[in-house]
Amino acid sequence: MSPIVLVIIAVTCIVSYMGLNNAVMFEKYKFSVSAINNRKEYFRLISSAFLHADFMHLFFNMLSLYFFQGAVILFFGNIGFLILYFGSMILGNLFSLLIYKNQPWYSAIGASGAVSGIIFASIAMAPNEISVNFLPGWLFGTLYFSYSVYMMLNPNRNDNIGHSAHLGGAFFGLIYAVANQPQAAIENSMYLGIMSLPLIYLGYEIFVKKRIG
């Protein structure tokens, strides 16, 4: 494992542990629409990714990061990994801010947006070779996007998953991968096109039909 990835996992685990045991710290650094819009606390776009709801939430995010970091570093190097991780984190939270700008009560925590970017950058480069939950990467990506889009368009009060952050992070991962490895993207264009269909539909619902946001 790259030392950079090890540092990110270690820092995330330490900060998450501190947040779980310090409610004041947790509230101060979580993603909060009202705090960002009213007090311009943009640091929350990053700090919230180092907090988690519980140890299981933290475990699965860090485990996913561990499994997919190798492919990203192979294709894009350590600098590329950092750009992907933090770019996906920030874009995921910015997308959440856009979607929920009129819902000041909305808040979120977790590295899922950043991890989604890492996962989908990996899938973009090797959609058939990389598998997730025994599914080919491209099929997993299509189902993942479809489910996230459906849940965003049909919200459930009992669903505590930040689908918008996941989608924003995954989108950044795909775009970064395509921009930096255009030849591989061309070779995998059919799979990338299939995965993108739910995102195109979501864009239509948001920007044309004004269904959410």
Side-chain angles (χ1 to χ4, degrees), residues 171-182:
F171 178 76
F172 183 87
L174 286 175
I175 294 301
Y176 183 89
V178 169
N180 283 275
Q181 297 283 352

Side-chain angles (χ1 to χ4, degrees), residues 126-164:
N128 259 329
E129 290 77 10
I130 290 177
S131 63
V132 185
N133 295 332
F134 306 105
L135 294 175
W138 68 271
L139 180 56
F140 170 82
T142 304
L143 295 174
Y144 178 95
F145 283 145
S146 298
Y147 174 73
S148 295
V149 168
Y150 176 82
M151 292 305 296
M152 282 189 65
L153 297 175
N154 302 275
N156 185 329
R157 288 182 178 273
N158 297 319
D159 177 39
N160 294 316
I161 300 174
H163 297 288
S164 55

Side-chain angles (χ1 to χ4, degrees), residues 1 5 9 61-70:
M1 186 193 309
V5 180
I9 291 176
N61 269 341
M62 294 302 97
L63 184 65
S64 298
L65 179 60
Y66 170 77
F67 280 136
F68 287 94
Q69 52 84 27

Side-chain angles (χ1 to χ4, degrees), residues 10 18 29 40 48 64 75 81 85 89-90 104 143 150 154 177 180 194:
M18 293 170 62
Y29 293 107
K40 311 303 179 188
S48 60
S64 298
F75 286 114
F81 172 86
Y85 192 78
M89 176 193 300
I90 294 169
L143 295 174
Y150 176 82
N154 302 275
N180 283 275
I194 293 172

Side-chain angles (χ1 to χ4, degrees), residues 16-86:
S16 292
Y17 177 80
M18 293 170 62
L20 289 171
N21 290 279
N22 187 330
V24 174
M25 173 186 171
F26 192 89
E27 290 297 319
K28 182 177 180 179
Y29 293 107
K30 72 179 183 180
F31 176 90
S32 167
V33 170
S34 62
I36 295 171
N37 283 337
N38 298 332
R39 300 197 297 272
K40 311 303 179 188
E41 295 180 350
Y42 295 109
F43 63 85
R44 292 174 182 262
L45 297 174
I46 295 176
S47 63
S48 60
F50 291 89
L51 297 170
H52 286 80
D54 51 44
F55 288 112
M56 193 61 69
H57 184 204
L58 171 65
F59 173 76
F60 280 113
N61 269 341
M62 294 302 97
L63 184 65
S64 298
L65 179 60
Y66 170 77
F67 280 136
F68 287 94
Q69 52 84 27
V72 167
I73 290 174
L74 175 64
F75 286 114
F76 307 108
N78 286 314
I79 299 301
F81 172 86
L82 287 173
I83 293 172
L84 267 167
Y85 192 78
F86 285 95

